[in-house]
Amino acid sequence: AAATTRVVDDIVSAALDRRSYRWVELDSGLRALLISDANSDKAAAALEVKTGHFDDPADVAGLAHFTEHMMFLGTESFPDERSFKDFIGRHGGSSNAFTGMESTGYHFGVNANALPEALGRFASFFAEPLLREDSARREMQAVHSEFQRNLQSDQRRIFQLLKSTCDPAHPFSKFSTGSLETLGGAAAAARGAPHELVRSFFETHYEPRRMTLCVLGQQPLDELEELVGKSFAGLARLVRSPLTAGAEALSAGPALEDASAGAFSAEAGSERALGDGLVQSGSGHGGAALAGPFTAAQRGGLLTMEPVREARMLRLLWEVEKEEAYVQSRATRLASAVLGSEVEGSLHWLLTRHLRPPLATSVSAGVSYSFSDSSLFSVAVSLTPEGL
């Protein structure tokens, strides 16, 4: 089992919360929040890796997302592609994953008594994935199908419109989903076969010190700690010392670094709080002071889009500081509550009930997109025909 190098038990929780909590860090650098709930009939775990599509090479768009898909398709200990999903299904559970801009998450839920084996199978994703060539060929089709579905999603179309019209030097501009063209076209092929690119991305970015785990189970905290140490012991072989940037890590293999990522590719900043706190400050993409995804010339612009489905929406976006800047003041939450309020005298009340005819059917506000260098705060108004 992996040794625990740090333990924190005095975690603040709500007065009526009967669960017990512990934060630990393993010698590999993996950090984990353990939650003991003796009365729960379900168990669950989630692991987030601090890498996302911002780390995609410029000419292999969607590689982070493709890698996420590939992680489920067999490990050295459990080589069958359906082994994990079948096990979870037999024990009353489910699993899923997502690829974000600067993080990738994996999670499952299962009947409480199945947690020990489920967690061991889950951990093998990150310690010994097979990432096979034949699996890659099939899974590229699954990624492409997802891309094609997104073409009919107005929310995804808005997302891509913002990305396509932002500062091309900012990683927000990257195409996130991937397709047969971006993952298997000539540019990607020049770097290597699809499964080789996935392997290189995994070896570069799936480092234990970039991983954070949360486990909930019926077991006491000491047992959960032992279970996590045993299940994730295999991560120790993935540790690189020091934690290197992508270009350095791939000096002996296919080069996945790209100049356009700039400060968002560097890894030096990711350890900025590993030695002195429980929360990382920023995503670790070099710590450079970036100005956000839009240039001065692009701010104040107007974008229009014809929807696939019948819809009328006005969306206003402001570039503000990264979310961490508002942790203490909760300014973005306060602004969201005020602007999204439905009480008499509010913007919602004015547009949906007071004016005749009504100009809107709903009003919402909040942080729409969050980056390590900035955030985009939005107010979205669903309009009536008269409001348009």
Side-chain angles (χ1 to χ4, degrees), residues 152-372:
Q152 302 304 309
S153 166
D154 285 323
Q155 288 300 320
R156 294 293 303 195
R157 288 158 63 89
I158 292 172
F159 182 50
Q160 188 57 49
L161 179 62
L162 285 171
K163 293 166 75 64
S164 299
T165 55
C166 79
D167 182 0
H170 194 282
F172 182 57
S173 64
K174 295 181 177 182
F175 169 53
S176 60
T177 308
S179 66
L180 287 177
E181 181 181 352
T182 65
L183 297 171
R191 290 182 178 267
H195 72 288
E196 294 172 341
L197 299 181
V198 169
R199 172 66 65 180
S200 293
F201 190 91
F202 169 78
E203 292 177 350
T204 302
H205 299 291
Y206 279 63
E207 214 272 356
R209 284 170 287 183
R210 304 184 78 174
M211 300 178 183
T212 304
L213 172 71
C214 183
V215 179
L216 179 148
Q218 290 181 336
Q219 295 84 343
L221 289 173
D222 288 343
E223 289 186 27
L224 287 175
E225 182 178 339
E226 182 180 357
L227 177 60
V228 167
K230 178 182 177 181
S231 300
F232 288 88
L235 292 183
R237 65 180 181 176
L238 303 181
V239 174
R240 296 189 305 274
S241 183
L243 193 59
T244 57
E248 295 170 293
L250 288 173
S251 59
L256 294 186
E257 74 282 1
D258 70 271
S260 69
F264 277 82
S265 291
E267 189 54 37
S270 69
E271 297 194 88
R272 141 179 6 157
L274 297 188
D276 17 272
L278 304 188
V279 181
Q280 282 183 279
S281 177
S283 74
H285 296 293
L290 299 183
F294 299 105
T295 65
Q298 291 168 328
R299 297 185 184 107
L302 173 66
L303 298 175
T304 60
M305 187 191 87
E306 183 175 337
V308 174
R309 300 180 179 180
E310 183 180 356
R312 295 169 296 274
M313 187 177 73
L314 171 66
R315 192 178 189 189
L316 305 173
L317 286 163
W318 290 267
E319 212 170 50
V320 298
E321 291 185 74
K322 60 185 181 181
E323 282 195 276
E324 290 174 6
Y326 304 107
V327 168
Q328 296 300 321
S329 68
R330 300 190 178 184
T332 52
R333 291 192 178 189
L334 177 60
S336 300
V338 171
L339 292 170
S341 172
E342 298 182 11
V343 301
E344 184 175 345
S346 67
L347 179 62
H348 182 281
W349 171 83
L350 174 68
L351 296 178
T352 64
R353 301 203 301 274
H354 182 65
L355 295 176
R356 288 290 179 266
L359 302 183
T361 58
S362 68
V363 178
S364 60
V367 174
S368 293
Y369 307 108
S370 181
F371 321 115
S372 59

Side-chain angles (χ1 to χ4, degrees), residues 3-177:
T4 302
T5 59
R6 285 202 293 165
V7 178
V8 176
D9 280 319
D10 55 339
I11 296 176
V12 178
S13 60
L16 297 179
D17 189 353
R18 296 296 178 254
R19 294 173 170 176
S20 301
Y21 299 86
R22 175 177 296 171
W23 184 91
V24 300
E25 182 175 337
L26 304 186
D27 54 6
S28 64
L30 172 71
R31 290 154 295 162
L33 176 65
L34 313 178
I35 307 172
S36 175
D37 185 349
N39 297 317
S40 177
D41 60 354
K42 293 289 186 179
L47 187 145
E48 186 167 296
V49 188
K50 209 64 179 175
T51 187
H53 80 254
F54 278 13
D55 288 319
D56 284 347
D59 50 0
V60 194
L63 184 57
H65 182 217
F66 185 30
T67 301
E68 172 231 302
H69 275 241
M70 289 289 294
M71 297 292 286
F72 282 95
L73 303 180
T75 68
E76 292 177 17
S77 299
F78 306 98
D80 186 88
E81 286 188 358
R82 291 199 53 83
S83 177
F84 181 75
K85 288 187 178 293
D86 286 348
F87 176 85
I88 294 296
R90 289 196 305 271
H91 292 84
S94 62
S95 63
N96 213 332
F98 70 87
T99 301
M101 291 178 283
E102 298 178 79
S103 62
T104 304
Y106 302 82
H107 59 269
F108 72 86
V110 73
N111 291 337
N113 60 1
L115 177 63
E117 185 171 352
L119 193 63
R121 290 171 176 265
F122 184 67
S124 69
F125 289 170
F126 309 101
E128 50 178 31
L130 290 177
L131 308 176
R132 292 171 288 207
E133 182 177 4
D134 58 338
S135 300
R137 285 196 299 268
R138 291 192 303 275
E139 205 59 27
M140 281 175 61
Q141 294 290 340
V143 170
H144 187 72
S145 295
E146 189 172 335
F147 159 65
Q148 291 181 308
R149 286 198 310 273
N150 289 342
L151 294 175
Q152 302 304 309
S153 166
D154 285 323
Q155 288 300 320
R156 294 293 303 195
R157 288 158 63 89
I158 292 172
F159 182 50
Q160 188 57 49
L161 179 62
L162 285 171
K163 293 166 75 64
S164 299
T165 55
C166 79
D167 182 0
H170 194 282
F172 182 57
S173 64
K174 295 181 177 182
F175 169 53
S176 60
T177 308

